[in-house]
Amino acid sequence: MSIDHPSFGRIDANRVIIFDTTLRDGEQSPGFSMNLAEKLRMAEALEELGVDVMEAGFPVASKGDFDSVHQIAQKVKNAVVCALARSGGKNDIASAGEAIKPAKRGRIHNFISTSPLHMKYKLRMEPETVLEVIEAGNRAARQFTDDVEWSAEDGSRTEPDFLCRCVETAIRAGATTINIPDTVGYSTPEDMARIFADLRARVPGADGVIFSTHNHNDLGLGVANTIAALKAGARQVECTINGIGERAGNAALEEIIMVLRTRHDVLPFTTGIHTERLLRTSRMLATITGFDVQPNKAIVGRNAFAHESGIHQDGILKNAATYEIMTPESVGWTRSSLVLGKHSGRAAFRDKLKAMGYDALEEAQFNEAFSRFKDLADRKKVIYDEDLVALVDDEVRDHARIRFISLDVTAGSRRPATADLVLEVDGARREGHAEGQGPVDAAFNAIRAIVPHDATLQLYSVGAVTEGSDAQARTSVRLEEDGKLVDGQGADADTLVSAVRAYVHALNKLLVKRDRAEPAALEA
C-alpha cells in the first residue's frame, strides 16, 4: 500500500527510503571528527550517491554543529536535510528548525528515551511525563516543517504496550516518520520483526506514516535486524557509510543496499542509490576520518572480491558467478591496477584522477598531488592505483590549521635520534628541533615543540600501500586528550614523513574537537 509523505509525495509500497546518518551518528565514532569543509564534501558525495535523507547534525550541541547543518541545508538540492533534536530539549527544536530553514526539503528528527531503564536512570521521568514530552516536542517541530520524525530511544527494550502509546502520541502530534532504534544493538531479527508487526497492527494511524529502523551493531546483527524490519513493514532504514558509529557502529549502508540488490528475489524493494558510487564514497569517508576500512569488510574491503584459493581462482576464470554473487564493477571497483609513470604529464594525471573519482580537487590540492606523484615516480619503479589513492587522499585531508612542510632526521645505534621539522601553523612557518629514543619519537617530539599539547599517543601503526620494498607507507595515529579521541592518517614513500603527516592530521582533528561540547542532560 502506498503512503503520502510531505517530502516525497506518494511513496510506492516497496520503495525504501535511505536515511544516512554518517554526518551525525557516524561522526560520534570514537576517534572520528569532521570539520565544516569535510562535512560539506561528504554531504555532496552522499547526494551524488543518491541518499533520500541525510542527517546533518545536532544543531543545539554547538555553534559548529549548527553551522554545519545550516550550510549543508543551503548546499544540498535533492536530499532531505535532517537535524536532530531532543523532544524535550529547551532550545533543541527551535535550533533545529532554524538550522534547516534554507533547505529545499527539511526535516526535524526529535527523540526521547522510552525504555524503563532509560526513563528511570537517564531521564528520571515517569512514563506519563514522557508521553507529555513526546506530544509537545512533535507539535513544536511541526511549527517549522511538515516533515517530522520521532524516535523512541532504546525502543527495542521498551515495554510493548507503552511503546504503542508513545507511537500513537507522536503520530497524533504530527510525526510523519516513526523510528524504532535498537540503540544498544541488543535485539535479534526476530525481535525487530515482532516490534514492527505489533506497532503496525495495534497503533491507530500507523497506516499513514513511514516506519523507520535504526540498528546498532554491538552483536554484529545491525544489517540482519534492518532486513528483518523491512520484511515486517518498515520502509525507511537509518544507516552509515562503512557502518561507522558509536561503539561497534551502525548498520552499514553499502551492505544493506547490496543485500537488497543481490537478493531482490526475496526482498523486492527499490532504493535511489547509485551502487557504482559506493566504493568511492566509502574511500572518501575513510580519508576524511583517518580510519581505514578493514580488509575483509563486505562490499568495500580490499579483499571483498579477492580470491587466493586455486580452486576459487579456477572457478572465477571459467565463470565469475561461481564465487562472486555480485560484480566488483557494480559497487565501483575497477580491474585496472598498473598506471602512470615518471614521464606522465599533468593532463594524463588529471584524467587518471577523474577516472578514479577525484574530479573535485581544488587547484592547489591537484598541484601538490601532482608534485608528490612526480617525486614518487622518481623513487618507485611501479606505481599502482593504490599509490595514487594514498597520495591524493593525503592532500585532501584536513590541513586547516597545521600543515607539514619538511622533515630531516638523523638516527643510528650509537647516538640519540634527532629531528628537524618545519610546519605551517595558522599560515605561519615554524621550525622545531628535538631528540628522541628513535627517529619516530624524535619527530613526534619536534611536533610537540612547535605545537605544544597534552594529548597522549594511543595508537601508532604502519602498513604498506602496495607490495615491494619501495612501497609507500601508510601510517595511522590515534591521540587522546581529556577523553576526546582522534584518528589521523598519512602516506609517503618515507615512513617517517608518513608518520608525521598522520600525527599532524590527528592534531588538526583534535583542534576541531576541542571546540565541541555536549548539550546539558535532559531531566525532569
Side-chain angles (χ1 to χ4, degrees):
M1 185 179 76
S2 59
I3 292 177
D4 288 319
H5 189 274
S7 285
F8 301 108
R10 184 164 289 275
I11 302 174
D12 182 78
N14 285 334
R15 176 62 159 87
V16 173
I17 295 169
I18 301 301
F19 177 112
D20 181 274
T21 184
T22 301
L23 298 172
R24 201 279 304 169
D25 200 351
E27 202 206 7
Q28 294 175 201
S29 303
F32 291 13
S33 182
M34 302 183 213
N35 63 23
L36 177 57
E38 290 168 335
K39 282 194 170 185
L40 289 171
R41 280 178 55 218
M42 201 66 219
E44 185 176 13
L46 291 171
E47 182 153 64
E48 291 175 352
L49 181 64
V51 303
D52 299 295
V53 184
M54 65 177 76
E55 191 166 48
F58 192 1
V60 80
S62 69
K63 183 180 183 301
D65 275 59
F66 179 92
D67 290 342
S68 65
V69 176
H70 192 71
Q71 290 202 35
I72 289 170
Q74 292 175 320
K75 187 180 185 72
V76 168
K77 303 303 180 188
N78 298 316
V80 173
V81 177
C82 177
L84 186 69
R86 295 167 299 181
S87 299
K90 186 175 181 180
N91 300 310
D92 289 43
I93 289 173
S95 180
E98 187 64 26
I100 64 168
K101 185 179 287 186
K104 183 177 180 181
R105 293 183 295 171
R107 173 181 296 189
I108 293 176
H109 177 193
N110 72 110
F111 71 95
I112 191 170
S113 297
T114 56
S115 69
L117 189 66
H118 277 221
M119 288 191 293
K120 180 177 180 180
Y121 293 104
K122 178 184 174 183
L123 299 179
R124 299 177 185 175
M125 289 183 183
E126 293 298 318
E128 293 302 321
T129 303
V130 170
L131 290 170
E132 292 172 4
V133 171
I134 293 170
E135 179 163 7
N138 283 281
R139 291 197 184 283
R142 282 299 295 260
Q143 301 303 306
F144 295 94
T145 177
D146 291 338
D147 190 343
V148 173
E149 177 172 343
W150 176 75
S151 283
E153 185 178 7
D154 207 24
S156 60
R157 295 193 295 177
T158 298
E159 294 174 344
D161 289 348
F162 184 64
L163 186 60
C164 286
R165 292 182 66 195
C166 291
V167 171
E168 181 180 357
T169 299
I171 294 173
R172 189 174 61 244
T176 53
T177 299
I178 300 294
N179 182 44
I180 310 299
D182 187 27
T183 303
V184 294
Y186 176 77
S187 296
T188 66
E190 292 76 14
D191 294 331
M192 299 309 296
R194 173 187 51 78
I195 289 169
F196 283 97
D198 191 43
L199 291 173
R200 294 180 67 226
R202 295 178 57 191
V203 175
D207 58 349
V209 298
I210 298 290
F211 277 92
S212 176
T213 182
H214 178 125
N215 297 291
H216 281 263
N217 209 35
D218 298 71
L219 295 176
L221 294 172
V223 172
N225 285 341
T226 299
I227 299 304
L230 286 176
K231 293 174 76 172
R235 287 298 178 268
Q236 175 177 284
V237 297
E238 305 196 1
C239 46
T240 61
I241 302 297
N242 296 343
I244 67 170
E246 290 197 81
R247 305 182 311 279
N250 289 267
L253 180 150
E254 62 277 1
E255 295 178 21
I256 294 166
I257 293 301
M258 294 313 291
V259 168
L260 298 184
R261 173 170 169 158
T262 305
R263 294 309 313 272
H264 197 69
D265 56 327
V266 292
L267 299 165
F269 305 116
T270 62
T271 74
I273 297 295
H274 305 293
T275 63
E276 68 280 359
R277 290 185 172 270
L278 287 171
L279 179 64
R280 182 182 303 183
T281 312
S282 166
R283 283 179 167 172
M284 176 182 286
L285 181 65
T287 298
I288 288 173
T289 60
F291 198 85
D292 270 340
V293 173
Q294 67 197 61
N296 63 330
K297 167 77 168 63
I299 315 302
V300 293
R302 68 173 181 266
N303 288 350
F305 295 93
H307 304 276
E308 184 171 311
S309 164
I311 295 174
H312 288 201
Q313 290 174 343
D314 180 64
I316 288 290
L317 291 172
K318 292 174 178 175
N319 186 324
T322 54
Y323 288 101
E324 288 184 353
I325 60 173
M326 65 195 98
T327 67
E329 292 81 4
S330 69
V331 299
W333 290 96
T334 59
R335 298 289 188 179
S336 64
S337 59
L338 197 61
V339 293
L340 309 173
K342 65 180 181 179
H343 299 298
S344 301
R346 295 171 64 87
F349 183 69
R350 192 184 295 275
D351 286 344
K352 181 62 182 179
L353 294 188
K354 186 174 182 180
M356 295 170 64
Y358 294 98
D359 49 3
L361 287 180
E362 296 176 2
E363 193 63 23
Q365 292 173 333
F366 173 83
N367 290 337
E368 185 61 30
F370 180 69
S371 176
R372 289 183 63 186
F373 158 70
K374 297 294 282 187
D375 179 61
L376 182 64
D378 284 334
R379 302 162 69 182
K380 196 173 186 294
K381 294 178 181 179
V382 179
I383 296 181
Y384 296 90
D385 283 3
E386 292 87 347
D387 289 309
L388 295 185
V389 169
L391 69 86
V392 175
D393 282 352
D394 217 42
E395 287 309 314
V396 299
R397 290 190 179 106
D398 174 24
H399 302 296
R401 300 281 305 278
I402 309 168
R403 179 179 291 275
F404 170 81
I405 301 298
S406 67
L407 173 69
D408 289 304
V409 174
T410 60
S413 59
R414 294 185 296 176
R415 61 182 61 86
T418 64
D420 291 283
L421 177 65
V422 181
L423 299 176
E424 185 181 282
V425 182
D426 293 330
R429 180 185 174 95
R430 296 188 183 177
E431 299 181 3
H433 173 84
E435 293 186 350
Q437 296 301 313
V440 174
D441 187 44
F444 287 178
N445 287 340
I447 296 175
R448 289 179 178 277
I450 298 173
V451 187
H453 58 278
D454 296 324
T456 58
L457 183 65
Q458 299 289 318
L459 170 71
Y460 170 69
S461 174
V462 182
V465 173
T466 57
E467 68 271 14
S469 60
D470 63 349
Q472 286 193 94
R474 179 188 280 118
T475 304
S476 297
V477 162
R478 171 169 285 190
L479 301 178
E480 186 273 332
E481 181 185 76
D482 297 330
K484 295 181 173 68
L485 295 172
V486 289
D487 292 319
Q489 275 195 344
D492 198 88
D494 187 309
T495 304
L496 295 175
V497 174
S498 169
V500 171
R501 287 183 180 276
Y503 199 111
V504 167
H505 182 216
L507 204 52
N508 273 300
K509 289 193 168 296
L510 184 61
L511 296 178
V512 172
K513 213 159 193 177
R514 281 176 177 173
D515 296 333
R516 292 192 177 158
E518 290 292 325
L522 177 64
E523 295 184 356

